[in-house]
Amino acid sequence: MIEEAKQVLKQYFGYDEFRDGQASIIEYILAGKNTVGIMPTGGGKSLCYQIPALMLDGVTLVISPLISLMKDQVDSLLHQGIPATYINSTLSNSEVESRMEEIALGEYKLVYIAPERLESFGFVRFLNTLPIPLVAVDEAHCLSQWGHDFRPSYLGIYKAVNQLHSHPTILALTATATPQVQSDILHHLHIPDEYKVLTGFQRTNLFFQVVKGEDRKRWVERYVQKNHQHSGIIYCATRKEVENLYLFLEKKGFSVGKYHGGLTDTVRQDQQEAFLNDSITIMIATNAFGMGINKSNVRFVIHYQIPKNMEGYYQEAGRAGRDGVDSECVLLFSPQDIQTQRYIIDQNIVNPELHENEMQKLRDMVDFVHTEACLQNYILTYFGEHAEEACGHCSNCLDQRESEDVTKEAQMVLSCMMRMNERFGTSLISGVLTGSRNKKILEWGFDRLSTYGLMKDQSQKEVGLFIDYLISEGVINVEGGSFPILKVSSKGKEVLLGDKSVSRKVQPTVTAIIPKEDGLFQTLRTLRKSIADSEGVPPFVIFSDKSLQDMCVKMPKTSQEFLQVSGVGESKMDRYGEIFIHEISAYLEENPAHQVKVSKTVQNRKTNSSDTPSYLVSFALFKDQKGIKDIAKERGMSTATIENHIIRTYQEGVLDDWGILFTEEEENLIGKAVEKVGTDLLKPIKEELPKEISYFQIKGYLVKSGQN
Ligand code: ADP
């Protein structure tokens, strides 16, 4: 079965291998088991129902809250040669009717609907006339009120689906689910725990960065200056901030758009489309933007203010790099923003239990900003995943800046605050410290304090930023709402007494790791945009950035070579093969240097492999008695990929030393388990065995015994 699924993967989607979790989910679905797949954004969840939909008889129903996304999803499928449609509130009654007729005639393999549609008795009656083998529930975290996007209509899904005569299998999918939300999903949709496929939340192509104590407007300006040719989203906490930043960047001449709840539907739609179509590069938005964004080439997401919880943060940040290309997620932190978020929670949540739940989430979010450990690991731990190694590329992992002891300056600030009776905010305190002649300062007589003018060698703004830093380090606490008051914390008291020191990294943070694009890439991107415009679809529907990058490396000259490009299936080959091949060869004729540059890069990448196929490189390391994890790390691949490489060497008879994989005793144990539960699914076999025996060993056994 899974081999057949693999053929579908290649033929329609143009990929050679399944990603982590995809094969197990597809296996379970084909075996008719209700399943939940928890995979990160960009992990490839859609294929988990699209492939079974193509293999099973009848029409697969996809339930999604993202109405604005449905058209793009359907367009993408149609471009891949897969008949699909959607029914939602954007269609007129007659359009809905004619689509229903087509569905009844069996013209589609996939139909997208919003959950509310299942509340219509007539529609459910219509569904009952159809063969529906599978119902995919996208964004399944929406059914938990402990999640961050609770939708009451999700609670009715199970009941509606359960009444259908065709008894469809249910596949729930989500990217952001804490353990509590996961158990809600299993419970509501009647999914047994054994059919939970959790691949891990890690996004290895995302580079997380927290920036503290910087002038963020200038920081953003510098950043977009460096990255102006890349698509990016800047999230602000409020509409007002969106407007401010929009005006600021627009005046500076950047290609920006804006999106928030205060704009009319038409403006929002226009702005969104312009962003999807690459007509504007940077979108400045509140969190209202993005639920319906499937754009795969977003290269950076900046949070201009701290979001209110990790779920929201990871979902928003996760909109970067869906295509797997390296991308950045930057959180600009200023302590005052915590107040803004507290205020928003206070205003919106009345129920005391839910209010405390939200406050705790905000505290977890603030801890993320303060942690000095790996940021990626913090996120993984938050979502209940055990994080083993530091990612090595977040701002904490990479931070090699020297620390400077700033205890003395901190003491100056703290003692000034004490002398002012801890009743004022940043601006007055920094004013006193820098010797300002501000009227209020003089009226209160603060110019007679011993701390007056103690830091006059710095500007008031610099001292303000330093105070922000002390807040973020927990040396100063912020109290009160609209006019925050600063208080010396218990940690601050220890600093004042000289029992604790404070240090601060000196140089400003570095930015922009996103690689520059080469000329061929830009040429292909322009071609993609012109085709997309003429077809009225967003460019990523034609090809992802990853496919364009692969074309720049592979430089295909024939249809066969073009089919080897990642993301090129038969349908895309037929539609665009010729024109892209032509463009590539024209470019190469004019720029012969490109070819030389690429072959050098490829050569460098292949270090220990010369022209050896990838799986044999893994095999060589494995034979050198290196562990799977070490090989994965060394090669920058997932452990699942390396295991597949090794299994392949057994399948092809390159390796026949089974002793490396299991002892005789282990082999016997696996054999017994297989006899008992059969070979349809790996999971039941695994469950028959002691914990130490891995899936890897089971797969090996099946190859050895000729059952795979
Ligand atoms: P998700 O819904 O989990 O956010 P998508 O289903 O949109 O992710 O997939 C993200 C990207 O990864 C898409 O461009 C998709 O074509 C690609 N993708 C999915 N599966 C594979 C695979 N097995 N190999 C390579 N790319 C894949």
Side-chain angles (χ1 to χ4, degrees):
M1 274 303 222
I2 206 68
E3 274 313 307
E4 199 186 318
K6 234 173 152 178
Q7 280 167 18
V8 175
L9 176 73
K10 181 71 188 162
Q11 181 188 344
Y12 286 93
F13 301 95
Y15 301 129
D16 295 321
E17 300 288 342
F18 281 119
R19 287 211 187 130
D20 234 14
Q22 288 179 327
S24 321
I25 294 177
I26 293 172
E27 254 180 315
Y28 293 154
I29 295 303
L30 294 177
K33 309 292 181 196
N34 286 355
T35 302
V36 59
I38 304 159
M39 296 161 90
T41 311
K45 285 183 285 298
S46 330
L47 254 62
C48 297
Y49 59 81
Q50 289 165 352
I51 290 184
L54 287 164
M55 296 171 69
L56 296 166
D57 289 335
V59 54
T60 288
L61 208 59
V62 186
I63 300 172
S64 163
L66 311 175
I67 290 178
S68 54
L69 199 67
M70 290 180 187
K71 187 174 174 308
D72 284 350
Q73 282 171 322
V74 164
D75 278 344
S76 290
L77 287 168
L78 295 174
H79 274 76
Q80 276 149 335
I82 301 166
T85 190
Y86 62 90
I87 291 185
N88 65 28
S89 51
T90 63
L91 302 178
S92 67
N93 282 344
S94 65
E95 278 173 315
V96 170
E97 265 168 41
S98 75
R99 288 192 188 194
M100 280 166 71
E101 274 167 30
E102 290 162 357
I103 294 167
L105 289 171
E107 288 183 16
Y108 298 108
K109 290 306 292 178
L110 288 125
V111 176
Y112 288 75
I113 59 164
E116 290 76 19
R117 199 138 292 256
L118 293 176
E119 288 162 12
S120 146
F121 183 64
F123 190 75
V124 174
R125 209 169 42 200
F126 164 68
L127 293 181
N128 241 331
T129 63
L130 305 172
I132 302 181
L134 171 62
V135 173
V137 183
D138 211 0
E139 310 291 343
H141 59 271
C142 290
L143 63 68
S144 169
Q145 51 170 327
W146 300 111
H148 54 296
D149 281 321
F150 175 54
R151 302 237 173 175
S153 56
Y154 260 67
L155 294 177
I157 293 178
Y158 184 78
K159 191 160 166 260
V161 171
N162 197 35
Q163 308 168 7
L164 298 179
H165 298 325
S166 39
H167 300 298
T169 306
I170 296 180
L171 170 58
L173 294 163
T174 179
T176 39
T178 56
Q180 193 177 21
V181 175
Q182 292 173 23
S183 87
D184 269 4
I185 297 174
L186 293 175
H187 173 74
H188 277 295
L189 295 176
H190 297 243
I191 299 170
D193 205 36
E194 57 188 301
Y195 299 114
K196 172 166 106 179
V197 179
L198 183 101
T199 62
F201 292 99
Q202 189 163 11
R203 302 271 314 273
T204 46
N205 65 319
L206 295 190
F207 294 41
F208 292 93
Q209 189 174 355
V210 173
V211 175
K212 298 184 229 178
E214 296 254 354
D215 179 334
R216 52 186 157 191
K217 230 176 191 169
R218 302 279 158 234
W219 193 95
V220 165
E221 187 189 350
R222 282 202 311 270
Y223 188 93
V224 294
Q225 189 93 50
K226 278 192 185 160
N227 293 297
H228 63 272
Q229 81 272 45
H230 294 293
S231 278
I233 307 174
I234 305 178
Y235 280 110
C236 301
T238 61
R239 296 172 185 183
K240 203 169 125 208
E241 282 293 352
V242 170
E243 290 291 345
N244 283 341
L245 190 61
Y246 173 81
L247 281 178
F248 173 71
L249 291 178
E250 202 207 18
K251 265 201 193 133
K252 301 266 170 195
F254 294 108
S255 158
V256 285
K258 59 180 172 178
Y259 191 105
H260 59 70
L263 302 168
T264 63
D265 283 355
T266 337
V267 173
R268 273 188 296 175
Q269 205 168 339
D270 288 351
Q271 294 281 301
Q272 173 163 328
E273 254 167 45
F275 181 64
L276 294 185
N277 295 335
D278 288 346
S279 302
I280 51 175
T281 331
I282 297 158
M283 180 61 101
I284 305 165
T286 60
N287 62 1
F289 179 72
M291 260 303 251
I293 297 301
N294 198 18
K295 186 174 164 70
S296 67
N297 63 337
V298 175
R299 288 280 78 83
F300 63 86
V301 171
I302 296 176
H303 279 85
Y304 198 67
Q305 273 118 357
I306 191 168
K308 64 179 192 294
N309 54 45
M310 287 298 294
E311 286 95 330
Y313 172 67
Y314 200 43
Q315 192 172 53
E316 285 153 19
R319 297 199 172 110
R322 291 177 76 113
D323 50 11
V325 177
D326 287 351
S327 306
E328 274 198 321
C329 307
V330 186
L331 172 53
L332 298 174
F333 178 65
S334 174
Q336 282 83 349
D337 300 338
I338 303 173
Q339 297 297 116
T340 312
Q341 291 297 3
R342 276 203 197 123
Y343 178 79
I344 295 175
I345 295 171
D346 283 348
Q347 294 300 305
N348 290 302
I349 300 177
V350 187
N351 175 317
E353 206 186 342
L354 289 178
H355 184 273
E356 175 46 30
N357 184 48
E358 287 304 309
M359 281 299 186
Q360 182 53 46
K361 285 183 178 199
L362 178 59
R363 285 193 284 272
D364 290 336
M365 188 69 235
V366 174
D367 287 347
F368 173 71
V369 170
H370 292 325
T371 182
E372 290 193 349
C374 171
L375 295 174
Q376 170 93 71
N377 279 2
Y378 183 95
I379 298 170
L380 298 183
T381 310
Y382 180 83
F383 287 110
E385 196 179 306
H386 177 63
E388 281 179 5
E389 284 161 10
C391 74
H393 56 223
C394 69
S395 55
N396 284 356
C397 287
L398 290 176
D399 197 349
Q400 290 178 343
R401 293 173 299 155
E402 296 276 318
S403 285
E404 191 179 60
D405 190 310
V406 289
T407 312
K408 225 172 100 207
E409 287 82 351
Q411 286 169 336
M412 291 178 189
V413 174
L414 296 171
S415 68
C416 186
M417 285 167 58
M418 295 294 256
R419 288 188 164 77
M420 293 166 72
N421 291 326
E422 297 178 273
R423 283 171 45 212
F424 300 93
T426 306
S427 93
L428 219 62
I429 298 167
S430 54
V432 173
L433 281 163
T434 51
S436 150
R437 305 294 298 165
N438 173 305
K439 208 166 123 220
K440 244 194 201 159
I441 291 180
L442 301 180
E443 265 172 27
W444 287 88
F446 288 150
D447 56 335
R448 293 196 298 275
L449 293 178
S450 59
T451 49
Y452 180 75
L454 208 54
M455 298 173 90
K456 61 173 178 298
D457 53 332
Q458 295 184 44
S459 71
Q460 191 170 344
K461 191 165 182 183
E462 280 169 335
V463 174
L465 287 173
F466 182 57
I467 292 176
D468 279 355
Y469 177 73
L470 294 177
I471 298 171
S472 71
E473 289 299 296
V475 174
I476 296 174
N477 285 339
V478 184
E479 287 179 13
S482 322
F483 299 100
I485 293 169
L486 306 189
K487 303 246 178 198
V488 178
S489 70
S490 52
K491 188 172 168 189
K493 289 194 178 117
E494 290 179 72
V495 173
L496 261 179
L497 292 172
D499 291 341
K500 233 189 179 93
S501 59
V502 184
S503 56
R504 188 186 191 189
K505 306 268 182 174
V506 274
Q507 300 96 351
T509 40
V510 280
T511 61
I513 47 84
I514 304 170
K516 291 267 168 294
E517 291 156 354
D518 71 13
L520 178 54
F521 183 91
Q522 284 169 18
T523 307
L524 298 181
R525 185 167 59 184
T526 310
L527 174 63
R528 175 179 70 177
K529 171 100 175 97
S530 70
I531 297 175
D533 286 348
S534 72
E535 292 192 19
V537 293
F540 59 83
V541 167
I542 311 291
F543 282 122
S544 69
D545 273 15
K546 190 142 199 165
S547 296
L548 296 193
Q549 281 186 351
D550 208 26
M551 288 178 209
C552 294
V553 174
K554 295 198 171 124
M555 297 172 278
K557 293 182 196 65
T558 64
S559 323
Q560 266 322 308
E561 286 174 8
F562 199 71
L563 271 174
Q564 299 309 311
V565 171
S566 171
V568 177
E570 285 173 9
S571 170
K572 296 241 172 130
M573 169 63 224
D574 290 345
R575 281 167 184 261
Y576 311 117
E578 207 179 312
I579 182 163
F580 272 82
I581 291 171
H582 178 265
E583 191 80 2
I584 292 167
S585 67
Y587 181 87
L588 293 180
E589 238 166 69
E590 278 176 34
N591 302 278
H594 177 88
Q595 209 140 357
V596 178
K597 195 174 88 197
V598 170
S599 57
K600 266 197 194 143
T601 319
V602 172
Q603 211 67 42
N604 287 342
R605 260 191 231 140
K606 281 186 178 165
T607 44
N608 57 6
S609 65
S610 61
D611 273 339
T612 319
S614 185
Y615 76 104
L616 291 180
V617 176
S618 301
F619 161 68
L621 294 167
F622 187 62
K623 267 206 109 182
D624 280 350
Q625 309 224 310
K626 288 219 167 146
I628 297 290
K629 269 199 190 138
D630 291 335
I631 304 176
K633 201 168 155 210
E634 185 170 332
R635 306 206 59 204
M637 295 170 167
S638 73
T639 47
T641 308
I642 304 296
E643 287 177 0
N644 285 338
H645 284 172
I646 305 304
I647 293 293
R648 188 162 162 203
T649 58
Y650 279 115
Q651 275 166 335
E652 302 199 354
V654 178
L655 177 63
D656 59 1
D657 181 2
W658 297 97
I660 307 180
L661 198 55
F662 35 60
T663 62
E664 220 169 287
E665 195 188 333
E666 286 169 334
E667 187 180 351
N668 285 337
L669 280 175
I670 305 174
K672 284 207 186 96
V674 166
E675 245 170 59
K676 191 162 166 206
V677 298
T679 57
D680 284 352
L681 293 173
L682 293 179
K683 190 151 185 161
I685 306 178
K686 173 95 170 82
E687 276 162 1
E688 285 294 315
L689 291 163
K691 266 211 294 292
E692 303 74 60
I693 295 191
S694 63
Y695 278 107
F696 181 37
Q697 291 173 302
I698 300 171
K699 283 189 213 162
Y701 172 88
L702 295 178
V703 173
K704 184 174 180 195
S705 57
Q707 298 181 74
N708 187 346

